[in-house]
Amino acid sequence: MRIRPLTIKLYYDHPTAGAWSVEDLSRFKGVIAVEDMNQAAFCQAYGVLAMFHNRVFKFLYTDGAIDQFSYAHFLLSSLVGLTDVTLPEELERLRYGPQLNGRDEVVGFLGQNDRTQLFLQRRGDELLLSYLDEHGQAPDDRESPFFEGFVLQRDEFRDEATLNLDAWVKVVNDLAQWGPLDSEAQRIVTLWRQHRALLTPHPTPTPPG
């Protein structure tokens, strides 16, 4: 299946505060629970990554009880993998090797707490996205959320990942007054601030705020 146009939404999801996209939160729309109102807690809070076709038809909604930081890491490492030039060493560490779990040209990988897996692979100028169950499969029954090899446009994915990382970093920065980041999350924020231009070689929208 070929997905175009593509929309990506990274959500903050809380049982009482509700689910809000980081894009909305970056514009001061939505609610963050009191217990998540500091940088470290927000990064560890439950998140969801969703993707839409034509902004309406949702074909991906991860539900693996994983934290915001892991999703930001997935988006950043995917952008590293999509970059053809050699990057600074601290970014190159995020690049995957020739093979991962038997798959070639993996640029992004996310293993979730329920053992489901999200793979993003290169295929020429396009990308292949796969969402697999705990057995590494994509059952084709009617109600299965899993799939294998949905085709995404490379530039569209890069632009959408950039928008979400911009928004996520802004939300994290806005929470700085209530408590600092842990070292791993701070590394992701710092890498994005310092090297955003290297990972987005063609014009992308200005970060919110």
Side-chain angles (χ1 to χ4, degrees):
M1 181 176 180
R2 190 176 300 274
I3 306 297
R4 187 170 192 174
L6 172 70
T7 300
I8 299 176
K9 294 287 186 183
L10 174 56
Y11 290 100
Y12 162 76
D13 194 4
H14 188 274
T16 57
W20 301 92
S21 72
V22 294
E23 186 177 7
D24 281 343
L25 292 176
S26 74
R27 296 185 169 96
F28 304 106
K29 300 176 182 178
V31 178
I32 298 177
V34 173
E35 61 268 29
D36 295 332
M37 285 288 290
N38 66 75
Q39 290 182 313
F42 181 77
C43 289
Q44 294 165 9
Y46 178 49
V48 173
L49 190 66
M51 296 190 189
F52 300 82
H53 176 219
N54 285 330
R55 301 187 65 86
V56 175
F57 302 106
K58 181 171 62 182
F59 65 92
L60 172 72
Y61 192 84
T62 61
D63 193 19
I66 201 167
D67 54 84
Q68 290 279 326
F69 166 75
S70 296
Y71 288 117
H73 188 280
F74 169 77
L75 293 174
L76 180 59
S77 63
S78 295
L79 291 180
V80 169
L82 291 176
T83 305
D84 294 319
V85 300
T86 301
L87 297 168
E89 182 180 355
E90 60 267 27
L91 282 177
E92 285 293 335
R93 293 193 194 107
L94 300 179
R95 196 189 296 272
Y96 293 100
Q99 275 203 340
L100 179 67
N101 292 1
R103 291 175 178 261
D104 296 326
E105 295 195 71
V106 173
V107 297
F109 170 75
L110 184 65
Q112 302 192 117
N113 292 344
D114 61 358
R115 299 175 63 193
T116 58
Q117 300 176 333
L118 194 65
F119 284 95
L120 187 67
Q121 298 169 261
R122 292 181 67 161
R123 189 184 69 177
D125 290 332
E126 296 178 324
L127 304 173
L128 299 179
L129 182 73
S130 299
Y131 184 38
L132 308 177
D133 67 12
E134 66 273 20
H135 306 295
Q137 299 175 350
D140 60 0
D141 59 271
R142 186 180 182 86
E143 309 224 342
S144 171
F146 304 105
F147 54 83
E148 177 87 42
F150 278 16
V151 179
L152 311 181
Q153 298 303 305
R154 177 175 171 175
D155 288 349
E156 287 186 351
F157 178 90
R158 182 166 52 195
D159 288 347
E160 288 293 308
T162 297
L163 287 172
N164 280 272
L165 281 168
D166 282 341
W168 185 81
V169 168
K170 183 178 185 301
V171 174
V172 170
N173 288 340
D174 289 342
L175 296 174
Q177 60 185 306
W178 288 287
L181 280 169
D182 60 46
S183 59
E184 279 300 300
Q186 183 60 64
R187 183 171 69 96
I188 296 299
V189 170
T190 301
L191 288 175
W192 185 243
R193 283 174 177 168
Q194 292 178 343
H195 303 301
R196 180 185 186 273
L198 290 175
L199 300 173
T200 57
H202 65 282
T204 53
T206 303

